[in-house]
Amino acid sequence: MRFTTTFLVALRALRRNTMRSMLTALGIIIGIGAVITTVSMGNGAKARIEAQVAALGRNIITVYPGNFTSGGMRGGYGSASTLTAEDADAIAAEVADIEGVSPEVDTRSQVLANGLNWNTRIYGESADYPYIKSWRIAAGSMFGEQDVKSLAKVAVVGKTVVDQLFPNEDPVGQTLRIRNLPFRIVGVLDVKGFSSYGSDQDDVVIIPYTSHMRRVSRTTSVGKILIEGSSPEKLEVVKERITDLLTQRHKGREPDFTVRTQEEIAAAATETSKTMTLLLGGIALVSLVVGGIGVMNIMLVSVTERTREIGIRLAIGAHGRDVLLQFLIEAILLSVLGGVLGILLGIGASEFASAYFGLPTLVSPASVILAVAVSTVIGIFFGFYPARKAAELDPIEALRYE
Amino acid sequence: MAPVVQIQNIHKVYDSGEVPVHAVRGVSLDIQKGEFVALMGASGSGKSTLMNLLGCLDRPTKGVYKLDGIDVAQLDKNELADLRNQKLGFVFQGFNLLARTTALENVELPMLYGRHRRVSGSAIRERAMHCLDMVGLTDRADHFPNQLSGGQQQRVAIARGLVNEPQVLLADEPTGNLDSRTSIEVMGVFQQLNDLGITIVMVTHELDIARYCKRNLILRDGVVVRDEPTEFRLNAAEERLKMGEAEVAAKLTAAPFA
């Protein structure tokens, strides 16, 4: 028997029991639909997180100091004071394909202005900082390189600090006292909101790192160095160059720094949503298996119910293989039909979720292809046993079956 | 000419139960081309077993069965299936048509399994229509079995049995589920086909049905106890005429009371 004929015979058999075929396929429809929906929701969440991370700065490389070890007690990353402002200068001077460098020092301190006071974070940065962080200045301007060189007492403040110290007042041009030193406010940062870790990113005061190191924190080392690469493609190369340069500069010491790219940080951030997707996808997969067992169940019922038909086919010359193929194709057709409808359902549900609940969704072609593949495999896997049972029937017994 | 069916000292023993059942104990039989044989016997006489053996659905425990010169014992399961497909036509007591499948598609069924034959769909359709024509059902080609009477269903089954031009048409109690009038109708179809030279072997337990055949075989306890040409052979066309006359007569006599 030719394959096309077998295919037609199987199709005809399914059409004879439209209602039952639909109900059987329903298990697969729901399973595949659930898989598509959860995966697309996971993808959407991932894309949103990636967008958020990209908004923090596109091509940022961060150098952290090494860990501090004293008498066998080991501190964590960044606990040692091994990075210096000179390291940052060297990177800016010697490494190609970078657009900006900012050594960062930070401390918490009470700040006073206007007869009010507020405890906030004081960052020491270079003039490149807003550019590296893609952070716009809302009013006034960023301090310049000259201010950094001259250890100028100038500051740029975040929105929260403005709200606390200068309610209903324009802060630009006003004076802010940090550890009793007057700093002139030259700019106000744009509102950035809360970070993904829940801290208020607008609760900051930024001053030149030179001023910070000499006048405020009185330190000789920097907390970390932020570097903006020129393009995402060159990020790895730039990272290597920085590593080489710092290895050379820090010769004779144990590796006392770590270089990380934004991508690695983004990867860590997307890990959570990936785990959720996996979990939900796993549950959806279980429902798919249940759907597959439904197909097997119905195919077994179908084989029993059609024992006589099988007997007739075998008696008039069908090989066991023909019968096997017929029932296998029926099972696969059911599963694939369920798969296709499930994909439509999944896409529909994803659209619905984004339209009515504002959940970001992204139907990926890969998940659609996977769904079709999985439903076919389910058809073959769960259809094989009933089909083989049909093929191995004895024609005499089958014809006598009531 | 060599006989179409050649059976020499055939035995069949069923081993499945505690005691082996010796269903057929040494039957020898030759059936020539163009014969019309009735196989009779009480239940348990072994006639169904013999029919299964003749139909290549089962293999003999002992003995030789040659169908159209081919020794069945040498064939494997698939070769037997092909042999059934090419050399035999089956007609069953319960018609055994596929439900929710048109008469024409039912007739086409054996051709779907035929190897290397009639590959084009139109050729298959044409041949199936021709066979429906032989049993006088061309106008019912698109009907489903549940839309046909018992006699019509059995005629569709006969057309299905003929479609691959078999050497032998095997019929297992073909009139068992039919009333007497329809039985005669079906026997008429068999007689017409036999007149065209088709060999028919039929199992029946009804003596008057056997009288439409040309040769009667009686089985008892797994052996052939009688094998002779039919005495007073009936002709289906004449019998139907007689039946019609009898009905008219019955109506005439009944008229005054109506």
Side-chain angles (χ1 to χ4, degrees):
Chain A
M1 195 175 192
R2 286 180 306 163
F3 184 78
T4 44
T5 322
T6 316
F7 187 83
L8 284 177
V9 166
L11 199 67
R12 217 178 268 164
L14 287 180
R15 224 180 36 208
R16 267 191 261 150
N17 278 302
T18 317
M19 185 67 184
R20 192 172 68 186
S21 303
M22 283 313 293
L23 284 174
T24 312
L26 201 59
I28 303 286
I29 293 173
I30 292 171
I32 292 283
V35 168
I36 297 272
T37 312
T38 51
V39 169
S40 71
M41 277 162 76
N43 280 340
K46 209 176 104 192
R48 184 188 261 186
I49 291 170
E50 273 168 3
Q52 282 171 346
V53 168
L56 296 176
R58 293 147 309 232
N59 311 317
I60 297 179
I61 297 170
T62 312
V63 185
Y64 298 94
N67 44 335
F68 165 80
T69 308
S70 168
M73 187 187 80
R74 299 168 69 211
Y77 273 123
S79 55
S81 319
T82 53
L83 286 179
T84 60
E86 287 71 39
D87 285 330
D89 291 341
I91 291 168
E94 291 174 39
V95 178
D97 296 318
I98 59 175
E99 309 240 298
V101 177
S102 179
E104 184 175 292
V105 234
D106 77 302
T107 184
R108 279 202 90 88
S109 174
Q110 213 70 18
V111 293
L112 292 85
N114 234 356
L116 296 165
N117 72 87
W118 181 248
N119 188 289
T120 186
R121 242 186 147 97
I122 319 288
Y123 282 97
E125 303 282 356
S126 81
D128 293 336
Y129 185 71
Y131 175 73
I132 294 170
K133 283 285 200 179
S134 311
W135 205 347
R136 291 199 332 205
I137 306 293
S141 61
M142 183 62 187
F143 50 78
E145 286 191 30
Q146 194 52 47
D147 295 318
V148 176
K149 274 189 193 141
S150 63
L151 282 66
K153 288 179 277 183
V154 287
V156 173
V157 294
K159 183 71 171 50
T160 307
V161 175
V162 173
D163 289 345
Q164 294 299 329
L165 299 178
F166 303 99
N168 317 316
E169 253 182 279
D170 182 7
V172 178
Q174 305 252 26
T175 304
L176 184 83
R177 296 184 82 82
I178 305 167
R179 300 212 174 149
N180 239 1
L181 288 169
F183 280 77
R184 190 168 49 86
I185 297 171
V186 294
V188 178
L189 289 159
D190 205 6
V191 178
K192 207 164 193 181
F194 284 81
S195 75
S196 49
Y197 304 104
S199 61
D200 181 1
Q201 299 177 89
D202 298 320
D203 191 7
V204 291
V205 171
I206 295 169
I207 59 173
Y209 71 93
T210 47
S211 314
H212 194 290
M213 289 168 77
R214 194 70 68 79
R215 301 179 194 278
V216 180
S217 54
R218 314 247 167 118
T219 173
T220 53
S221 65
V222 299
K224 57 185 168 187
I225 302 172
L226 301 173
I227 299 120
E228 163 100 13
S230 60
S231 70
E233 292 77 40
K234 294 219 171 110
L235 220 53
E236 277 305 310
V237 185
V238 172
K239 181 186 166 184
E240 267 170 45
R241 286 180 193 150
I242 293 169
T243 311
D244 289 346
L245 178 70
L246 290 182
T247 310
Q248 211 176 11
R249 286 178 61 87
H250 294 201
K251 210 175 249 172
R253 290 187 259 162
E254 273 185 63
D256 55 3
F257 62 90
T258 316
V259 185
R260 286 204 189 156
T261 64
Q262 191 70 38
E263 270 171 37
E264 291 164 332
I265 296 163
T270 51
E271 199 59 41
T272 323
S273 78
K274 231 191 233 166
T275 310
M276 277 310 283
T277 308
L278 262 173
L279 185 73
L280 288 172
I283 294 167
L285 218 63
V286 168
S287 75
L288 205 54
V289 170
V290 173
I293 292 169
V295 170
M296 175 151 82
N297 192 9
I298 289 296
M299 289 312 294
L300 278 174
V301 169
S302 184
V303 167
T304 311
E305 199 183 85
R306 285 151 69 192
T307 301
R308 249 169 186 278
E309 176 193 326
I310 295 161
I312 298 164
R313 289 180 188 277
L314 290 171
I316 63 176
H319 288 193
R321 214 183 110 255
D322 296 326
V323 174
L324 180 99
L325 209 59
Q326 180 192 334
F327 278 84
L328 204 53
I329 289 173
E330 277 184 38
I332 294 170
L333 270 176
L334 271 181
S335 307
V336 170
L337 177 85
V340 169
L341 290 178
I343 288 167
L344 295 179
L345 178 79
I347 292 172
S350 303
E351 293 290 317
F352 184 81
S354 34
Y356 290 90
F357 302 117
L359 291 169
T361 57
L362 195 72
V363 178
S364 69
S367 67
V368 171
I369 292 165
L370 188 77
V372 172
V374 165
S375 57
T376 312
V377 168
I378 282 177
I380 294 171
F381 185 78
F382 289 108
F384 189 78
Y385 174 66
R388 207 192 52 184
K389 219 181 140 189
E392 284 176 356
L393 282 175
D394 174 21
I396 300 171
E397 292 290 324
L399 281 171
R400 215 179 281 155
Y401 186 85
E402 293 295 335
Chain B
M1 201 167 68
V4 185
V5 171
Q6 260 182 301
I7 290 178
Q8 281 155 25
N9 196 26
I10 208 170
H11 287 258
K12 181 70 191 178
V13 182
Y14 290 110
D15 248 344
S16 52
E18 277 178 32
V19 184
V21 178
H22 213 142
V24 173
R25 322 164 167 250
V27 170
S28 295
L29 183 67
D30 281 358
I31 297 172
Q32 301 292 338
K33 202 164 171 51
E35 279 201 80
F36 190 178
V37 183
L39 205 58
M40 291 196 291
S43 62
S45 61
K47 64 182 192 298
S48 288
T49 304
L50 186 58
M51 200 62 176
N52 286 340
L53 290 173
L54 279 172
C56 299
L57 290 165
D58 212 348
R59 262 180 285 218
T61 317
K62 209 170 84 183
V64 180
Y65 170 27
K66 280 186 186 167
L67 174 63
D68 201 22
I70 300 164
D71 190 350
V72 170
Q74 308 299 321
L75 305 179
D76 69 17
K77 215 173 136 190
N78 286 341
E79 287 169 327
L80 275 179
D82 287 340
L83 192 71
R84 289 197 296 270
N85 185 259
Q86 303 301 321
K87 307 274 184 196
L88 298 170
F90 289 91
V91 178
F92 306 96
Q93 179 177 1
F95 320 138
N96 277 344
L97 299 175
L98 296 190
R100 275 169 278 190
T101 305
T102 65
L104 189 65
E105 285 171 344
N106 263 297
V107 176
E108 284 174 1
L109 200 61
M111 285 190 285
L112 300 185
Y113 293 107
R115 315 265 141 192
H116 319 299
R117 289 186 59 190
R118 266 195 272 277
V119 274
S120 96
S122 61
I124 286 175
R125 190 127 295 198
E126 204 175 297
R127 171 70 192 156
M129 273 315 273
H130 175 69
C131 289
L132 274 180
D133 188 33
M134 284 170 86
V135 297
L137 278 178
T138 37
D139 55 333
R140 296 281 192 274
D142 295 330
H143 288 226
F144 292 115
N146 58 353
Q147 297 168 322
L148 299 171
S149 72
Q152 287 170 332
Q153 286 188 54
Q154 195 58 299
R155 272 148 68 192
V156 172
I158 293 168
R160 180 180 64 190
L162 290 173
V163 85
N164 270 352
E165 295 167 327
Q167 296 294 318
V168 184
L169 190 60
L170 293 172
D172 193 357
E173 306 251 15
T175 60
N177 285 13
L178 301 173
D179 60 42
S180 55
R181 172 196 276 276
T182 324
S183 296
I184 295 168
E185 177 191 316
V186 167
M187 289 318 294
V189 172
F190 279 126
Q191 281 189 335
Q192 276 171 26
L193 295 173
N194 185 242
D195 289 344
L196 293 173
I198 294 167
T199 315
I200 301 169
V201 179
M202 193 174 95
V203 164
T204 183
H205 58 264
E206 292 168 272
L207 250 169
D208 48 338
I209 290 297
R211 280 175 67 197
Y212 290 93
C213 306
K214 286 179 182 165
R215 177 179 170 191
N216 286 2
L217 273 168
I218 296 175
L219 243 75
R220 191 178 297 151
D221 297 331
V223 287
V224 177
V225 291
R226 200 195 291 174
D227 182 358
E228 57 194 16
T230 309
E231 278 183 280
F232 313 113
R233 187 170 182 238
L234 295 176
N235 181 300
E238 283 170 20
E239 289 307 305
R240 264 163 82 183
L241 216 63
K242 272 191 221 165
M243 200 173 235
E245 280 166 7
E247 262 175 26
V248 172
K251 267 182 194 157
L252 281 177
T253 51
F257 301 98

